[in-house]
Amino acid sequence: MERRRFLQRTAGAACAAATTGAVPAHVHVHVPKRHTVRVLGTHVTLQEPLRRRAEADLGIHLEFEPGGSAAVLHKATTRPESFDLYEQWSNSIDVLWQAGAIQPIETDRIANWSEVNGLTKTGRITPKANLGAGDAPCKLLNVQPDGTLGPEPTGRVSFLPYVHNVDSFAYNADVVPRGREYEEESWGWLLDERWHGRVALVNAPTIGLFDAALAVQAKGLVEFEDIGNMTRAEIDELFQVLVDLRRAGHFRGVWSSVPRSVELMARGETVVQSMFSPGVSAACGRGIPCVYAAPREGYRAWHGVMCLSSRTTGAVRDAAYEYVNWWLSGWPGAFIARQGYYISNPERSRPHLAPEEWDYWYRGLPAAHDLTGTDGKVSVRKGEVRSGGSYERRFENVAVWNTVMDHYEYTLVRWRDFLLA
Amino acid sequence: MTDPNENHVKPNRDRLSLRIHCGTAVVVVPFLVSIAIAATGFARFQQNVDRLTAASHFATRMADVERDAVEMRQHVVAYTHGGNAGDADAVTSLGNTLLEKVDGARADAPDDESRGRLDRMHDHLTTYLGSFQEVVRERRLREQLVRENVLEPAHDVTRRMNVLSDDGPAATGRSSVPDEFARRIGTYVSLAEARLLQFLSDPDARLVDEGLAALRLGIDEWSADHPDGDDPVLARMQELEHGFLRTVQATRAYLYLAHVVMAGEAAEFAFHTEELKRRAEDELVSIGTAAEDDGRQTAQIVLVVSLAAAAVGVLISLMISRTILRPIRAITETFNLLSRGEVVGSVPGLDRRDEIGEMARAADVFRSRNRETVALLDTTRRMTDELDGKARELEKRNEDLDSFAYVASHDLKSPLRGVACLAEWIAEDAADVLSEESREHLDMMRQRVDRMDQLLDDLLAYSRAGRTGEEDEVVDVRELLTAIRETIDWPADTRLHVDPSLPRVVTTPVELQRVLQNLLTNAVKYRSQDAPEVAVEARPVGDDFVEFSVADSGIGIAPEYHDSVFQMFRRLHTQDEIEGSGMGLALVKKIVETHGGTIRVESEEGRGATFFFTWPTGRPDGPLAESAGRPETSATPLLEPAPLA
């Protein structure tokens, strides 16, 4: 904001000088360079309204380069010089950190760091909440003195905690009978014989693998010692089940983008599948009674990370810090709340939301009236209740976090076996 | 009798022709429908053939795509394992070929669903090939990293450590590096190198951890032993660490691309290919089934429609027979009855409003006429019968009368002849004793007896007229006249003219002789004061008759008596004036009419009379023709003095 005001002031002064002729010709007016920050990430956060608003608020130039999760991760790990900020998921942190693609973020330079809630800092949204298997963000947040990532705060973090949510599977209520949240709805539905040939998974081993593992475990087919970090034998067992099911035609296939997931359900090719929140909203918007399940086994949670490229320095890094701070300034959190995502410092966004919006999105109360999304269209009908309930309740029921396991490479190989079975 | 106009109806209403046309249309339409159905069936068959060809072609394309896709994936697998550039080129080539085939198949896609799938296949393949290019880049990067940033620094460090351990501190100039330490550092580096190379062939994070841990241990120990930052061994080990990590990341990225992104795209590509193949095969089966169904259905429909058409045709025929032929037969029968003159009570179909009704009404007119005719015939027959009866009765009466007349005249003649004989005897025996007056009375009695005898002869002749019992013969009228002339008591001054061309006829000569004789007798009997002049002539009348004329110059007959002179006992003069029985002309008329002829008279009082009568020639070629063989007589009337006068 300071820069913005400065720019406004200097622009006004320059304009005044030009019109009045009061400034001598030999006097040079200093106009700060409008730095460009290149942001590599996914469509979840790299949205044009956010870019325009941030540019207007910060007076910087933003270049968004959205892409698929795998593609952007690959680019980030191999070409850190190609971006300044990286926006993706916490399960990419290990890879990025190990590759040296990102640098620590100084928490002192994050104005609202103290407002970041316990979910990221401690792993629990409430004291009674499940920590969740796998790499909870708190385990990856802090840069430890030895250069590793760990839970102990050090004033340096590997990522800015900001957007997060829980995922599960969705089902078409026209075909699949509705179940009660946290009681009947189960990951096991993904393997239900009744939906043979109409089941899909997300094509990402760090995500879809856990959907499949939760389903297999819910059906009692495989028991995992630690579902967040499976042994090689457990992986083999899991994929034996999955390969057999795929060969039997149980799975329609996999999807690699949200629009693909919506199309699968819209065309009736699937009735139960892994799904992301925007996909569920889009399907509902197309008239499909798409229900986002609240599985009794718990959610698969994910946490967005905003990382600073290891190659970004100087004024661009300063500009990047401004953008990082902007995300926790309130308005962006309110913006993404209307898309179903949570921000790590919710209270900062609350003033930017109508009470009815706050009640629906964060408190899990019925919508007092129709709520509009960020596109201006009605996204929530009056009386609707958010699947899974309030922010706290949803994050109290985390079964596993999206994680890059120790045998990640092996899961890639087996995942291929599954896909091409 | 029925008035035909009573049943007159509107001509265009319920016309039989309209019914026939409608019936024909009803019969023809099903056949046309049948033909149309057959044509439609053929068109659908042709469509099915076209669809079958297209579906077969499409299925072949899909099989070709699937085969190429499998081959491409095999090259991808080969490349990921061996890194052979030839495999990479093959993938690129096959991929581009596949794209062309997918796009080509899209042009032949049978429906939007298939086109949509092919579009998605195109997208999946594009992503797949793009990812493969990244795989190639990553693999090359990894090879470069391994070569330049892993093996080279690792070997350099190892070599340096070997030198240290072999040559001692002098080799590095540092006395603090013991041999054991150098070997340990070398071992760390070798272990890191070995684990990385193991990781490349069998990616496992534990190998990375072990390798990195060993390397970082070496770095830490070396750093502790060499606190100066500017150290070539440390720099090489740090370079090795960086290369190690970059190689690991490149491998992970390469694995992710190959095993997740590409495998995912390949799976979707294969799924859609399989789906399109299945759809094409289903389509083939469906088309085959549809073709069979269409053929069967068309055949059934054509059969049903044909049978229906036949049934309708039969029904129409029966209806036509019922509504047309049967009434026509009935009317025909009615006409037959009418033609036979039978009385028909009523004509069927009079109440119909069609052509049959018109026929019936026409027949009814005939029926009415026929009934009248029959009635008339009945009347005529009855009258004829009645007339025949009267004729027979009259003939009987005539016969009775003739018989009576014959009997009377014949039987009267005997006593009359006895009276005459007695009178003769009395005159002869008592001539002397009879007074003059008695003799006069006796003479008078003999005259009366003679007159009575003549009268009886005339009556007898009249009664026998036409029943002489003689056979017809050729009669030369002229010769007959000559014979007659001999029997007549001609006055001396009589002049007789005979037509020299008098014909010969075939007839009973006695009858013709009596006619001519009576007429000639009358000509001289009723003479005037002048010398009698008589002319006999003849002329043909038609082919069968000849008209004779007998003209005289006598006292004539007043016209008012021209008819009555032919009546029996009709006399214009008293007995005293002119003697006669009054039967002459009646007898002539009866004889002429008995022979089929006629008689008339032309006369004026005091100017003579001419009697004309016709007589049958007896031969069809006419009487005058017979004269040709006879010597011609003079055309001049023959005037001969009456030799008997």
Side-chain angles (χ1 to χ4, degrees):
Chain A
M1 295 297 287
E2 291 296 321
R3 184 186 299 273
R4 188 182 180 197
R5 282 196 294 274
F6 173 79
L7 284 172
Q8 288 172 341
R9 282 199 303 273
T10 54
C15 183
T19 52
T20 60
V23 179
H26 65 276
V27 175
H28 296 280
V29 177
H30 174 68
V31 179
K33 185 180 179 183
R34 193 165 179 252
H35 296 291
T36 295
V37 177
R38 299 163 298 162
V39 185
L40 180 65
T42 68
H43 292 86
V44 174
T45 52
L46 300 191
Q47 301 180 47
E48 185 61 15
L50 289 169
R51 191 188 67 80
R52 288 200 304 268
R53 178 69 181 237
E55 283 188 341
D57 286 347
L58 304 175
I60 61 174
H61 180 62
L62 290 168
E63 282 185 3
F64 280 4
E65 186 180 347
S69 296
V72 297
L73 175 61
H74 174 65
K75 185 172 183 178
T77 54
T78 57
R79 296 176 58 204
E81 71 281 3
S82 65
F83 68 95
D84 299 312
L85 286 173
Y86 177 81
E87 296 186 29
Q88 222 222 23
W89 325 122
S90 59
N91 48 296
S92 65
I93 285 293
D94 261 345
V95 177
L96 290 167
W97 188 254
Q98 195 176 49
I102 56 176
Q103 60 178 300
I105 294 174
E106 305 293 334
T107 55
D108 290 345
R109 298 187 66 173
I110 308 301
N112 296 325
W113 178 255
S114 62
E115 294 174 2
V116 174
N117 64 22
L119 179 67
T120 317
K121 290 178 177 175
T122 68
R124 287 184 171 86
I125 191 73
T126 63
K128 65 174 183 179
N130 292 333
L131 180 61
D135 290 336
C138 64
K139 300 177 183 175
L140 309 168
L141 179 62
N142 299 288
V143 179
Q144 302 300 300
D146 62 355
T148 60
L149 301 179
E152 299 302 323
T154 60
R156 296 197 307 165
V157 293
S158 60
F159 62 89
L160 173 79
Y162 70 143
V163 181
H164 54 277
N165 207 344
V166 289
D167 284 340
S168 65
F169 65 91
Y171 58 92
N172 185 339
D174 272 349
V175 180
V176 180
R178 286 179 185 268
R180 286 192 299 278
E181 293 179 347
Y182 301 117
E183 296 178 17
E184 294 175 332
E185 291 175 340
S186 168
W187 287 100
W189 289 12
L190 287 170
L191 304 185
D192 195 317
E193 268 296 311
R194 289 178 294 175
W195 324 127
H196 181 89
R198 293 185 287 175
V199 179
L201 296 173
V202 56
N203 186 26
T206 56
I207 304 175
L209 179 71
F210 292 113
D211 291 356
L214 287 165
V216 169
Q217 187 166 265
K219 294 290 281 185
L221 300 174
V222 178
E223 193 64 37
F224 302 101
E225 184 71 23
D226 178 3
I227 198 171
N229 195 17
M230 302 172 203
T231 65
R232 200 163 169 134
E234 288 172 336
I235 293 170
D236 285 339
E237 281 189 75
L238 170 63
F239 277 99
Q240 187 60 53
V241 173
L242 295 179
V243 167
D244 288 347
L245 284 170
R246 182 156 176 81
R247 285 177 178 161
H250 179 78
F251 293 103
R252 153 62 185 85
V254 294
W255 53 263
S256 301
S257 68
V258 169
R260 292 279 190 201
S261 69
V262 177
E263 285 301 317
L264 281 173
M265 191 165 277
R267 286 199 298 267
E269 294 183 37
T270 61
V271 294
V272 180
Q273 64 177 0
S274 303
M275 213 152 181
F276 295 161
S277 178
V280 174
S281 298
C284 289
R286 294 173 66 167
I288 303 165
C290 186
V291 177
Y292 212 17
R296 61 185 179 219
E297 297 85 4
Y299 288 103
R300 174 180 46 73
W302 59 268
H303 205 293
V305 294
M306 184 177 286
C307 305
L308 189 59
S309 169
S310 58
R311 304 296 178 89
T312 301
T313 57
V316 175
R317 183 165 61 184
D318 294 342
Y321 264 107
E322 286 190 41
Y323 182 65
V324 169
N325 273 291
W326 178 80
W327 259 102
L328 297 181
S329 65
W331 186 88
F335 182 85
I336 60 165
R338 295 188 182 94
Q339 295 178 343
Y341 303 121
Y342 302 110
I343 194 73
S344 291
N345 58 338
E347 289 298 329
R348 177 66 64 174
S349 297
R350 189 168 182 173
H352 297 275
L353 293 168
E356 296 82 7
E357 291 178 313
W358 178 262
D359 287 347
Y360 177 81
W361 294 111
Y362 273 92
R363 298 183 65 194
L365 298 175
H369 55 70
D370 288 353
L371 303 179
T372 54
T374 54
D375 57 358
K377 297 177 182 175
V378 173
S379 60
V380 178
R381 296 289 178 188
K382 179 183 177 183
E384 282 185 22
V385 178
R386 187 168 192 182
S387 153
S390 68
Y391 173 49
E392 285 78 11
R393 190 177 186 201
R394 285 157 67 91
F395 273 94
E396 283 173 349
N397 289 280
V398 175
V400 64
W401 289 88
N402 290 349
T403 301
V404 176
M405 297 189 297
D406 288 346
H407 294 294
Y408 168 70
E409 291 82 2
Y410 186 62
T411 63
L412 297 181
V413 176
R414 297 311 311 269
W415 188 258
R416 184 205 59 188
D417 295 341
F418 165 66
L419 292 179
L420 300 180
Chain B
M1 176 179 160
T2 304
D3 184 355
N5 294 324
E6 286 180 5
N7 290 324
H8 180 73
V9 293
K10 293 179 181 178
N12 289 329
R13 187 176 171 188
D14 292 342
R15 299 292 294 180
L16 205 56
S17 55
L18 183 63
R19 288 190 189 182
I20 292 172
H21 292 154
C22 290
T24 305
V26 169
V27 173
V28 169
V29 164
F31 280 108
L32 293 177
V33 169
S34 178
I35 291 168
I37 290 169
T40 304
F42 181 76
R44 291 176 66 177
F45 172 76
Q46 190 61 44
Q47 282 180 342
N48 284 330
V49 169
D50 293 343
R51 284 176 59 203
L52 198 67
T53 304
S56 177
H57 185 59
F58 188 72
T60 304
R61 276 180 178 270
M62 284 299 100
D64 194 25
V65 165
E66 185 179 44
R67 189 171 53 251
D68 284 358
V70 169
E71 187 180 350
M72 183 180 68
R73 285 207 301 272
Q74 288 171 344
H75 283 291
V76 168
V77 170
Y79 180 77
T80 55
H81 282 91
N84 189 335
D87 287 323
D89 293 341
V91 170
T92 303
S93 174
L94 279 169
N96 291 330
T97 303
L98 261 178
L99 276 175
E100 291 176 3
K101 288 183 176 177
V102 168
D103 293 343
R106 190 187 185 285
D108 292 339
D111 49 36
D112 289 342
E113 167 69 19
S114 299
R115 277 187 286 277
R117 287 188 184 278
L118 285 163
D119 287 341
R120 290 194 285 280
M121 287 171 66
H122 181 99
D123 293 344
H124 290 304
L125 185 56
T126 302
T127 305
Y128 184 89
L129 293 173
S131 299
F132 181 72
Q133 293 307 315
E134 291 187 47
V135 165
V136 171
R137 279 196 298 272
E138 292 303 322
R139 188 177 179 91
R140 287 172 182 166
L141 174 64
R142 192 180 72 169
E143 289 172 353
Q144 183 183 355
L145 286 169
V146 169
R147 188 174 59 251
E148 297 176 0
N149 299 95
V150 174
L151 295 180
E152 192 177 311
H155 292 168
D156 186 39
V157 172
T158 304
R159 184 181 53 78
R160 286 173 184 269
M161 292 305 106
N162 288 338
V163 170
L164 281 175
S165 61
D166 291 343
D167 300 340
T172 59
R174 291 180 184 276
S175 58
S176 61
V177 180
D179 295 346
E180 184 62 27
F181 177 72
R183 277 195 293 275
R184 193 165 64 247
I185 294 297
T187 303
Y188 288 147
V189 171
S190 297
L191 185 62
E193 178 191 344
R195 291 295 179 267
L196 182 62
L197 293 177
Q198 272 186 278
F199 176 79
L200 296 182
S201 60
D202 181 19
D204 191 324
R206 288 178 305 173
L207 298 171
V208 175
D209 291 343
E210 290 175 12
L212 269 179
L215 184 58
R216 282 172 176 165
L217 198 57
I219 291 173
D220 289 346
E221 289 187 14
W222 186 268
S223 297
D225 192 60
H226 297 77
D228 298 338
D230 186 17
D231 182 82
V233 174
L234 181 61
R236 294 297 267 178
M237 283 197 288
Q238 288 175 333
E239 184 184 347
L240 173 61
E241 182 190 19
H242 181 72
F244 187 104
L245 287 171
R246 287 296 309 277
T247 301
V248 169
Q249 294 309 322
T251 303
R252 283 176 172 168
Y254 145 79
L255 288 175
Y256 186 87
L257 285 168
H259 296 336
V260 178
V261 178
M262 290 180 64
E265 300 300 325
E268 285 298 292
F269 187 90
F271 173 80
H272 290 303
T273 305
E274 189 61 31
E275 278 295 296
L276 288 174
K277 268 181 61 186
R278 185 186 58 76
R279 285 170 60 86
E281 288 165 2
D282 290 348
E283 178 75 356
L284 287 172
V285 173
S286 169
I287 293 168
T289 306
E292 283 183 22
D293 291 345
D294 285 348
R296 188 166 50 246
Q297 194 176 16
T298 301
Q300 287 173 347
I301 291 173
V302 168
L303 180 63
V304 168
V305 172
S306 298
L307 289 175
V312 169
V314 170
L315 283 175
I316 294 294
S317 299
L318 290 174
M319 286 176 63
I320 289 174
S321 173
R322 186 181 185 83
T323 59
I324 299 174
L325 298 181
R326 192 178 295 177
I328 286 177
R329 277 198 294 270
I331 290 174
T332 303
E333 183 61 25
T334 301
F335 274 116
N336 288 335
L337 291 172
L338 291 173
S339 68
R340 290 198 296 268
E342 295 183 16
V343 176
V344 176
S346 64
V347 177
L350 280 174
D351 54 344
R352 295 175 67 103
R353 294 167 177 260
D354 51 20
E355 289 85 344
I356 292 176
E358 292 175 4
M359 290 172 63
R361 286 185 283 280
D364 194 55
V365 173
F366 283 109
R367 183 188 67 84
S368 300
R369 299 277 187 274
N370 185 268
R371 195 164 60 184
E372 291 175 1
T373 303
V374 168
L376 200 60
L377 285 173
D378 284 345
T379 304
T380 304
R381 187 162 44 247
R382 194 165 56 250
M383 291 177 69
T384 302
D385 292 344
E386 192 176 331
L387 202 60
D388 288 346
K390 290 185 181 300
R392 283 193 297 274
E393 185 180 351
L394 188 60
E395 189 175 358
K396 180 71 168 60
R397 287 183 180 177
N398 285 339
E399 287 177 357
D400 292 344
L401 188 61
D402 288 348
S403 178
F404 169 75
Y406 177 79
V407 170
S409 57
H410 184 270
D411 291 350
L412 285 173
K413 281 184 72 78
S414 294
L416 193 60
R417 209 172 289 118
V419 170
C421 287
L422 288 173
E424 184 67 31
W425 290 344
I426 294 169
E428 290 177 357
D429 295 339
D432 298 338
V433 296
L434 292 177
S435 63
E436 184 64 32
E437 188 179 9
S438 296
R439 284 196 298 274
E440 286 179 1
H441 288 168
L442 197 56
D443 289 339
M444 193 179 296
M445 187 180 68
R446 282 194 327 214
Q447 288 173 358
R448 295 295 188 270
V449 170
D450 289 341
R451 196 181 299 166
M452 178 66 86
D453 185 57
Q454 185 62 44
L455 180 61
L456 289 174
D457 286 342
D458 289 344
L459 279 174
L460 192 60
Y462 187 87
S463 65
R464 287 180 173 175
R467 293 187 291 139
T468 60
E470 295 180 4
E471 294 293 326
D472 288 345
E473 59 185 72
V474 176
V475 177
D476 188 335
V477 178
R478 196 172 172 185
E479 292 179 356
L480 186 65
L481 272 176
T482 303
I484 292 170
R485 191 174 57 186
E486 297 300 327
T487 62
I488 296 175
D489 186 13
W490 298 94
D493 54 352
T494 301
R495 295 180 61 87
L496 177 64
H497 301 272
V498 177
D499 186 351
S501 61
L502 287 176
R504 286 187 294 189
V505 296
V506 178
T507 187
T508 307
V510 175
E511 300 273 73
L512 182 58
Q513 178 179 351
R514 180 170 294 273
V515 170
L516 289 171
Q517 187 171 15
N518 281 5
L519 291 176
L520 289 173
T521 302
N522 283 347
V524 297
K525 185 186 291 182
Y526 298 100
R527 61 170 294 177
S528 62
Q529 295 300 321
D530 299 331
E533 189 169 346
V534 180
V536 179
E537 295 179 352
R539 66 178 185 87
V541 178
D543 293 335
D544 299 329
F545 284 88
V546 61
E547 185 181 67
F548 293 97
S549 62
V550 178
D552 62 53
S553 56
I555 58 178
I557 304 170
E560 61 267 26
Y561 301 118
H562 284 186
D563 290 333
S564 59
V565 295
F566 294 105
Q567 293 176 355
M568 288 178 65
F569 307 119
R570 180 64 177 175
R571 303 196 70 234
L572 302 181
H573 308 278
T574 64
Q575 193 69 28
D576 293 336
E577 291 173 347
I578 300 174
E579 190 179 353
S581 63
M583 288 292 291
L585 286 176
L587 179 60
V588 166
K589 184 173 187 292
K590 185 178 179 183
I591 292 170
V592 167
E593 288 180 349
T594 299
H595 285 269
T598 58
I599 186 167
R600 60 187 170 87
V601 61
E602 293 179 359
S603 175
E604 289 181 13
E605 198 171 10
R607 300 178 66 101
T610 304
F611 288 88
F612 299 92
F613 71 93
T614 58
W615 193 268
T617 60
R619 282 189 289 186
D621 49 351
L624 298 182
E626 292 296 326
S627 303
R630 192 177 58 189
E632 290 293 333
T633 56
S634 172
T636 303
L638 178 63
L639 183 58
E640 296 180 45
L644 300 178

